[in-house]
Amino acid sequence: MRLIIAGGGTGGHLFPGIAVADEFLARSPENEVLFVGTERGIEARLLPKLGYKLALISASGMKGMGTIKKIMSAGRLLYGYSQSRKILKEFRPDLVLGVGGYASAPIVLAARGMGIRRFIHEQNAFPGLTNKVLGRFVDGVFISMPEAESFFPKEMTQMTGNPIRKEILWGFQERVRSVGDTFSILVFGGSAGAQRVNSALLEALPHLEGVKGKLRITHQTGEKDAARVREGYQAQGFQAQVLSFIDDMSAAYGAADLVVCRAGATTIAEVTACGKGCIFIPFPYASDDHQRKNAESLVHKNAGVMILEEDLTGERLAAKILELMEHPAELAEIEKNARALAQLDAAQAIVAAMVTG
């Protein structure tokens, strides 16, 4: 069988697609996968390194744009639709899966016009505009969080969870804590980092002075902020490994006692799969404030804690770190609840539904 996975733009859309591709290819040596994305998305940089085939189309969003830019965007989408029809004719897929992002719209709509079975996967609690529209034109919708169910036709919507990369699932080893151990904190704000999260950690350090000797911090900053953050830790005498990008996230999760992070859907899926207690700091400018809704989904189940960026101060962040550090039973309860929400078979469930439906 042949599968096209369309979409991307960010890791949050792309990484679940990669997990589905891995599962689809593992089912038969005769199966083939083609990704479809745009040259501006993360897919254009990452997929060739991973050995996946990628076709590029023209696509961009319209939300929040002025009239002229909307007209230009509509023109790109129409051209992308024409490109998509050509790709579909040449690759001849049996199935098309849209994983969100602008590139998923032209290919899924073109597949509908050509009578090819098509599906979408929604990672977030609050669906993006593209998937809300495409939900009317597909054979099935896969969702990661129950809050998204009300946005799609009930009869074609299946709760699968968010597919997780095999290197996270297979490589993860839980750290065994012992009395007197250092307390390890993993900090990251996505693949490109998050300057506000970075600054908040540095601002928190004076309030963590009393536990300085017990803390071990691993901090992914993004390339632009690495030098500033590294100098900030050194100036205040804290032990920290500062990296612009973490290649082995599985090992980083395994070594962490606590995670400070944004609340993208892929991050949520990974930290629940690893059973990690998290302080979520949602990105406030995510479309429809979906990161806050993602985090709230866990907070309401005592599977994480949240500090909104508008309320974020170094003192408040330090207080929450100290609370969880000094109350291991509270942290253990959050970890247990997070792990209970994990759906480790999401990729298998999606592939099974597509090939047998």
Tab-separated table of all heavy atoms in Angstrom, residues 181-216:
chain	number	residue	atom	x	y	z
A	181	ASP	N	19.937	12.178	46.426
A	181	ASP	CA	20.233	12.454	45.026
A	181	ASP	C	20.081	13.937	44.713
A	181	ASP	O	19.361	14.675	45.385
A	181	ASP	CB	19.254	11.686	44.122
A	181	ASP	CG	19.881	10.418	43.560
A	181	ASP	OD1	21.053	10.184	43.850
A	181	ASP	OD2	19.186	9.686	42.850
A	182	THR	N	20.762	14.340	43.652
A	182	THR	CA	20.475	15.663	43.111
A	182	THR	C	19.082	15.642	42.479
A	182	THR	O	18.535	14.574	42.166
A	182	THR	CB	21.507	16.044	42.034
A	182	THR	OG1	21.530	15.012	41.032
A	182	THR	CG2	22.876	16.217	42.637
A	183	PHE	N	18.507	16.804	42.311
A	183	PHE	CA	17.183	16.932	41.699
A	183	PHE	C	17.386	17.504	40.303
A	183	PHE	O	17.920	18.599	40.140
A	183	PHE	CB	16.298	17.854	42.542
A	183	PHE	CG	14.862	17.888	42.107
A	183	PHE	CD1	13.963	16.923	42.539
A	183	PHE	CD2	14.403	18.906	41.272
A	183	PHE	CE1	12.625	16.963	42.151
A	183	PHE	CE2	13.073	18.947	40.876
A	183	PHE	CZ	12.181	17.978	41.322
A	184	SER	N	16.971	16.749	39.307
A	184	SER	CA	17.260	17.101	37.910
A	184	SER	C	16.049	17.756	37.252
A	184	SER	O	14.943	17.215	37.283
A	184	SER	CB	17.650	15.851	37.116
A	184	SER	OG	18.834	15.279	37.643
A	185	ILE	N	16.291	18.902	36.650
A	185	ILE	CA	15.247	19.646	35.953
A	185	ILE	C	15.600	19.739	34.475
A	185	ILE	O	16.727	20.109	34.111
A	185	ILE	CB	15.081	21.064	36.534
A	185	ILE	CG1	14.762	21.000	38.026
A	185	ILE	CG2	13.979	21.822	35.788
A	185	ILE	CD1	14.699	22.371	38.684
A	186	LEU	N	14.656	19.384	33.627
A	186	LEU	CA	14.797	19.524	32.176
A	186	LEU	C	13.947	20.710	31.739
A	186	LEU	O	12.756	20.774	32.049
A	186	LEU	CB	14.336	18.249	31.468
A	186	LEU	CG	14.212	18.317	29.941
A	186	LEU	CD1	15.572	18.578	29.292
A	186	LEU	CD2	13.593	17.020	29.403
A	187	VAL	N	14.563	21.637	31.020
A	187	VAL	CA	13.877	22.849	30.575
A	187	VAL	C	13.971	22.944	29.057
A	187	VAL	O	15.057	22.822	28.483
A	187	VAL	CB	14.504	24.116	31.190
A	187	VAL	CG1	13.699	25.360	30.820
A	187	VAL	CG2	14.645	23.980	32.697
A	188	PHE	N	12.840	23.132	28.398
A	188	PHE	CA	12.880	23.384	26.956
A	188	PHE	C	11.607	24.101	26.530
A	188	PHE	O	10.569	24.009	27.167
A	188	PHE	CB	13.070	22.087	26.156
A	188	PHE	CG	11.953	21.084	26.286
A	188	PHE	CD1	10.927	21.040	25.354
A	188	PHE	CD2	11.937	20.173	27.346
A	188	PHE	CE1	9.907	20.103	25.482
A	188	PHE	CE2	10.926	19.235	27.466
A	188	PHE	CZ	9.906	19.197	26.529
A	189	GLY	N	11.719	24.816	25.415
A	189	GLY	CA	10.563	25.564	24.916
A	189	GLY	C	10.234	25.211	23.494
A	189	GLY	O	9.762	26.049	22.734
A	190	GLY	N	10.480	23.968	23.094
A	190	GLY	CA	10.294	23.576	21.702
A	190	GLY	C	11.639	23.520	20.999
A	190	GLY	O	12.680	23.884	21.556
A	191	SER	N	11.629	23.059	19.744
A	191	SER	CA	12.881	22.847	19.020
A	191	SER	C	13.664	24.146	18.822
A	191	SER	O	14.889	24.134	18.731
A	191	SER	CB	12.596	22.197	17.661
A	191	SER	OG	11.694	22.990	16.899
A	192	ALA	N	12.964	25.281	18.765
A	192	ALA	CA	13.643	26.560	18.565
A	192	ALA	C	13.863	27.308	19.867
A	192	ALA	O	14.377	28.421	19.877
A	192	ALA	CB	12.836	27.437	17.604
A	193	GLY	N	13.482	26.694	20.981
A	193	GLY	CA	13.627	27.355	22.264
A	193	GLY	C	12.488	28.331	22.511
A	193	GLY	O	11.593	28.503	21.694
A	194	ALA	N	12.516	28.979	23.675
A	194	ALA	CA	11.500	29.972	24.032
A	194	ALA	C	12.163	30.997	24.932
A	194	ALA	O	12.494	30.702	26.083
A	194	ALA	CB	10.326	29.309	24.734
A	195	GLN	N	12.375	32.197	24.423
A	195	GLN	CA	13.151	33.201	25.151
A	195	GLN	C	12.528	33.539	26.501
A	195	GLN	O	13.242	33.721	27.493
A	195	GLN	CB	13.300	34.456	24.307
A	195	GLN	CG	14.295	35.461	24.883
A	195	GLN	CD	14.503	36.639	23.968
A	195	GLN	OE1	13.557	37.281	23.530
A	195	GLN	NE2	15.755	36.925	23.653
A	196	ARG	N	11.199	33.610	26.576
A	196	ARG	CA	10.560	33.967	27.838
A	196	ARG	C	10.772	32.881	28.883
A	196	ARG	O	10.994	33.160	30.065
A	196	ARG	CB	9.059	34.213	27.629
A	196	ARG	CG	8.360	34.701	28.894
A	196	ARG	CD	8.860	36.071	29.308
A	196	ARG	NE	8.436	36.447	30.662
A	196	ARG	CZ	9.167	36.294	31.749
A	196	ARG	NH1	10.381	35.760	31.667
A	196	ARG	NH2	8.718	36.659	32.931
A	197	VAL	N	10.692	31.616	28.475
A	197	VAL	CA	10.952	30.512	29.394
A	197	VAL	C	12.407	30.547	29.839
A	197	VAL	O	12.719	30.374	31.021
A	197	VAL	CB	10.612	29.160	28.737
A	197	VAL	CG1	11.019	27.994	29.644
A	197	VAL	CG2	9.116	29.079	28.431
A	198	ASN	N	13.311	30.792	28.895
A	198	ASN	CA	14.731	30.883	29.231
A	198	ASN	C	14.987	31.962	30.285
A	198	ASN	O	15.692	31.743	31.274
A	198	ASN	CB	15.547	31.202	27.980
A	198	ASN	CG	15.495	30.096	26.937
A	198	ASN	OD1	15.104	28.971	27.234
A	198	ASN	ND2	15.874	30.421	25.714
A	199	SER	N	14.394	33.129	30.066
A	199	SER	CA	14.604	34.243	30.993
A	199	SER	C	14.012	33.941	32.364
A	199	SER	O	14.595	34.291	33.397
A	199	SER	CB	13.975	35.520	30.415
A	199	SER	OG	14.645	35.918	29.233
A	200	ALA	N	12.848	33.283	32.374
A	200	ALA	CA	12.200	32.973	33.654
A	200	ALA	C	13.066	32.058	34.502
A	200	ALA	O	13.135	32.220	35.736
A	200	ALA	CB	10.840	32.329	33.404
A	201	LEU	N	13.756	31.099	33.861
A	201	LEU	CA	14.636	30.218	34.628
A	201	LEU	C	15.791	31.001	35.244
A	201	LEU	O	16.145	30.797	36.412
A	201	LEU	CB	15.173	29.095	33.724
A	201	LEU	CG	14.521	27.729	33.888
A	201	LEU	CD1	14.808	27.144	35.275
A	201	LEU	CD2	13.027	27.789	33.654
A	202	LEU	N	16.372	31.907	34.487
A	202	LEU	CA	17.464	32.712	35.025
A	202	LEU	C	16.967	33.606	36.162
A	202	LEU	O	17.661	33.785	37.173
A	202	LEU	CB	18.078	33.563	33.915
A	202	LEU	CG	18.763	32.806	32.773
A	202	LEU	CD1	19.369	33.781	31.779
A	202	LEU	CD2	19.833	31.845	33.291
A	203	GLU	N	15.760	34.147	36.009
A	203	GLU	CA	15.187	34.991	37.057
A	203	GLU	C	14.840	34.185	38.307
A	203	GLU	O	14.781	34.733	39.420
A	203	GLU	CB	13.926	35.673	36.521
A	203	GLU	CG	14.197	36.680	35.406
A	203	GLU	CD	12.953	37.020	34.599
A	203	GLU	OE1	11.839	36.612	35.016
A	203	GLU	OE2	13.085	37.681	33.550
A	204	ALA	N	14.619	32.874	38.131
A	204	ALA	CA	14.276	32.021	39.271
A	204	ALA	C	15.493	31.648	40.116
A	204	ALA	O	15.365	31.299	41.298
A	204	ALA	CB	13.587	30.745	38.780
A	205	LEU	N	16.675	31.714	39.545
A	205	LEU	CA	17.871	31.204	40.229
A	205	LEU	C	18.142	31.853	41.583
A	205	LEU	O	18.486	31.140	42.541
A	205	LEU	CB	19.092	31.345	39.308
A	205	LEU	CG	19.049	30.520	38.011
A	205	LEU	CD1	20.341	30.703	37.221
A	205	LEU	CD2	18.786	29.045	38.283
A	206	PRO	N	18.009	33.162	41.744
A	206	PRO	CA	18.261	33.733	43.082
A	206	PRO	C	17.325	33.169	44.143
A	206	PRO	O	17.700	33.069	45.320
A	206	PRO	CB	18.015	35.239	42.869
A	206	PRO	CG	18.248	35.467	41.416
A	206	PRO	CD	17.760	34.217	40.741
A	207	HIS	N	16.130	32.780	43.742
A	207	HIS	CA	15.158	32.224	44.686
A	207	HIS	C	15.397	30.728	44.936
A	207	HIS	O	14.741	30.130	45.786
A	207	HIS	CB	13.738	32.435	44.149
A	207	HIS	CG	13.429	33.866	43.820
A	207	HIS	ND1	13.156	34.813	44.785
A	207	HIS	CD2	13.393	34.521	42.628
A	207	HIS	CE1	12.938	35.978	44.206
A	207	HIS	NE2	13.079	35.835	42.893
A	208	LEU	N	16.325	30.138	44.183
A	208	LEU	CA	16.686	28.731	44.356
A	208	LEU	C	18.081	28.588	44.981
A	208	LEU	O	18.637	27.493	45.020
A	208	LEU	CB	16.656	28.010	42.990
A	208	LEU	CG	15.288	27.942	42.302
A	208	LEU	CD1	15.436	27.430	40.876
A	208	LEU	CD2	14.324	27.042	43.085
A	209	GLU	N	18.612	29.676	45.462
A	209	GLU	CA	19.973	29.687	46.008
A	209	GLU	C	20.152	28.651	47.113
A	209	GLU	O	21.196	27.995	47.215
A	209	GLU	CB	20.294	31.090	46.552
A	209	GLU	CG	21.706	31.261	47.068
A	209	GLU	CD	22.755	31.273	45.968
A	209	GLU	OE1	22.398	31.655	44.821
A	209	GLU	OE2	23.918	30.904	46.251
A	210	GLY	N	19.112	28.452	47.936
A	210	GLY	CA	19.222	27.523	49.053
A	210	GLY	C	19.344	26.076	48.661
A	210	GLY	O	19.767	25.238	49.477
A	211	VAL	N	18.978	25.741	47.424
A	211	VAL	CA	19.074	24.341	46.968
A	211	VAL	C	20.052	24.223	45.801
A	211	VAL	O	20.032	23.232	45.079
A	211	VAL	CB	17.678	23.789	46.573
A	211	VAL	CG1	16.777	23.699	47.788
A	211	VAL	CG2	17.040	24.638	45.475
A	212	LYS	N	20.893	25.221	45.642
A	212	LYS	CA	21.815	25.247	44.504
A	212	LYS	C	22.626	23.962	44.390
A	212	LYS	O	22.795	23.399	43.302
A	212	LYS	CB	22.772	26.441	44.630
A	212	LYS	CG	23.786	26.526	43.505
A	212	LYS	CD	24.871	27.553	43.794
A	212	LYS	CE	24.344	28.964	43.804
A	212	LYS	NZ	25.440	29.957	43.912
A	213	GLY	N	23.116	23.460	45.506
A	213	GLY	CA	23.953	22.270	45.469
A	213	GLY	C	23.207	21.000	45.115
A	213	GLY	O	23.832	19.994	44.754
A	214	LYS	N	21.892	21.016	45.228
A	214	LYS	CA	21.091	19.826	44.936
A	214	LYS	C	20.545	19.799	43.510
A	214	LYS	O	20.046	18.770	43.060
A	214	LYS	CB	19.912	19.740	45.911
A	214	LYS	CG	20.305	19.590	47.368
A	214	LYS	CD	19.071	19.520	48.251
A	214	LYS	CE	19.441	19.394	49.720
A	214	LYS	NZ	18.230	19.353	50.581
A	215	LEU	N	20.613	20.920	42.824
A	215	LEU	CA	19.996	21.027	41.502
A	215	LEU	C	20.957	20.663	40.380
A	215	LEU	O	22.134	21.024	40.405
A	215	LEU	CB	19.484	22.448	41.257
A	215	LEU	CG	18.206	22.876	41.964
A	215	LEU	CD1	17.868	24.302	41.580
A	215	LEU	CD2	17.045	21.948	41.617
A	216	ARG	N	20.426	19.959	39.409
A	216	ARG	CA	21.138	19.719	38.157
A	216	ARG	C	20.165	20.058	37.033
A	216	ARG	O	19.084	19.483	36.957
A	216	ARG	CB	21.589	18.256	38.052
A	216	ARG	CG	22.408	17.966	36.789
A	216	ARG	CD	22.889	16.531	36.767
A	216	ARG	NE	21.775	15.587	36.729
A	216	ARG	CZ	21.906	14.276	36.921
A	216	ARG	NH1	23.082	13.762	37.215
A	216	ARG	NH2	20.851	13.488	36.859
